[in-house]
Amino acid sequence: NAGVTQTPKFRVLKTGQSMTLLCAQDMNHEYMYWYRQDPGMGLRLIHYSVGEGTTAKGEVPDGYNVSRLKKQNFLLGLESAAPSQTSVYFCASSRGTSGQSYNEQFFGPGTRLTVL
Amino acid sequence: TQLLEQSPQFLSIQEGENLTVYCNSSSVFSSLQWYRQEPGEGPVLLVTVVTGGEVKKLKRLTFQFGDARKDSSLHITAAQPGDTGLYLCAGAMSGGSNYKLTFGKGTLLTVNP
């Protein structure tokens, strides 16, 4: 099993450009998450999904959109990139809190995005 | 508002030393998790603690959940260079919002040979 994969690994954008980050998981997890990680700020939740076709805003959703058309995929879009969106983006998935699960999250390797 | 405070923020020690990292909050959590993140990679789950007062051991790592489920600690015995990394605690709130985790900002540990 590949676990959680993210593409691309690195990307450089110019201000105003758009892009989509792809996250895929092969563990049949219901929940998926997008975080950004910045020095001194820790992991901050951007958007999340508790099931196929559903999405919700997290702590820092402005400037981002998401879609969960298939259970295994969670896409993060930047419509008009800004330098403030320079960060490392992590996708995660979990089974939630059913049974003996306590929402333990499995993370992808990250995407390093620079916006010039 | 930072719900989970981790201390210290940075820790640099010599191989063989012991250390403790703390994760504190004024909120009660239904469960608390510890993750380790190595440079250029995503966080990896180490342990989940659920019951107040619970102690779990993972080789040289000992995790404890506070009696009131508001705090946790991670103790490493005889640290090794391979323990180097960013240690993150994350809590699941009690009640209906337990599909999200609240992360601390992390403790960056460097173990020098």
Side-chain angles (χ1 to χ4, degrees):
Chain A
N1 291 344
V4 180
T5 58
Q6 292 183 233
T7 52
K9 292 188 185 300
F10 302 93
R11 186 71 186 269
V12 178
L13 291 178
K14 294 181 179 178
T15 297
Q17 288 185 320
S18 64
M19 77 163 294
T20 300
L21 283 69
L22 172 64
C23 175
Q25 53 95 4
D26 61 2
M27 296 173 283
N28 200 35
H29 285 169
E30 287 294 333
Y31 297 176
M32 296 188 75
Y33 307 83
W34 275 108
Y35 295 91
R36 60 179 289 174
Q37 188 175 40
D38 303 288
M41 301 296 291
L43 280 167
R44 292 183 291 171
L45 182 64
I46 304 172
H47 286 280
Y48 64 97
S49 169
V50 297
E52 180 179 316
T54 72
T55 62
K57 294 180 179 180
E59 181 185 354
V60 287
D62 294 343
Y64 305 95
N65 56 77
V66 288
S67 65
R68 183 108 181 262
L69 299 179
K70 293 182 178 181
K71 185 176 183 178
Q72 63 267 34
N73 296 336
F74 196 27
L75 279 63
L76 177 70
L78 286 74
E79 291 186 348
S80 179
S84 61
Q85 294 178 304
T86 293
S87 187
V88 181
Y89 291 85
F90 288 100
C91 176
S93 70
S94 84
R95 285 188 297 175
T97 54
S98 61
Q100 291 298 309
S101 176
Y102 296 97
N103 200 18
E104 291 88 345
Q105 298 191 3
F106 294 80
F107 285 82
T111 295
R112 186 174 295 275
L113 175 66
T114 301
V115 183
L116 303 175
Chain B
T1 303
Q2 180 64 32
L3 293 181
L4 273 174
E5 298 282 349
Q6 285 191 242
S7 61
Q9 189 176 357
F10 302 96
L11 189 57
S12 181
I13 62 172
Q14 295 299 120
E15 182 175 359
E17 293 183 359
N18 302 332
L19 67 111
T20 302
V21 173
Y22 299 93
C23 177
N24 296 301
S25 176
S26 57
S27 302
V28 176
F29 294 98
S30 60
S31 66
L32 196 137
Q33 299 160 20
W34 285 92
Y35 293 80
R36 180 168 65 205
Q37 184 179 17
E38 299 188 13
E41 299 181 7
V44 176
L45 178 71
L46 295 174
V47 77
T48 301
V49 286
V50 179
T51 306
E54 182 177 4
V55 176
K56 280 192 174 179
K57 292 192 174 183
L58 186 65
K59 296 184 180 178
R60 294 175 293 100
L61 278 62
T62 301
F63 305 85
Q64 185 163 7
F65 202 12
D67 291 340
R69 292 185 290 137
K70 293 182 178 181
D71 55 86
S72 181
S73 64
L74 158 60
H75 182 78
I76 301 179
T77 303
Q80 299 178 359
D83 295 326
T84 293
L86 179 68
Y87 289 81
L88 297 162
C89 64
M93 300 296 290
S94 299
S97 299
N98 56 8
Y99 41 78
K100 292 188 288 183
L101 294 178
T102 299
F103 281 86
K105 293 185 179 181
T107 293
L108 185 60
L109 171 66
T110 302
V111 182
N112 302 298

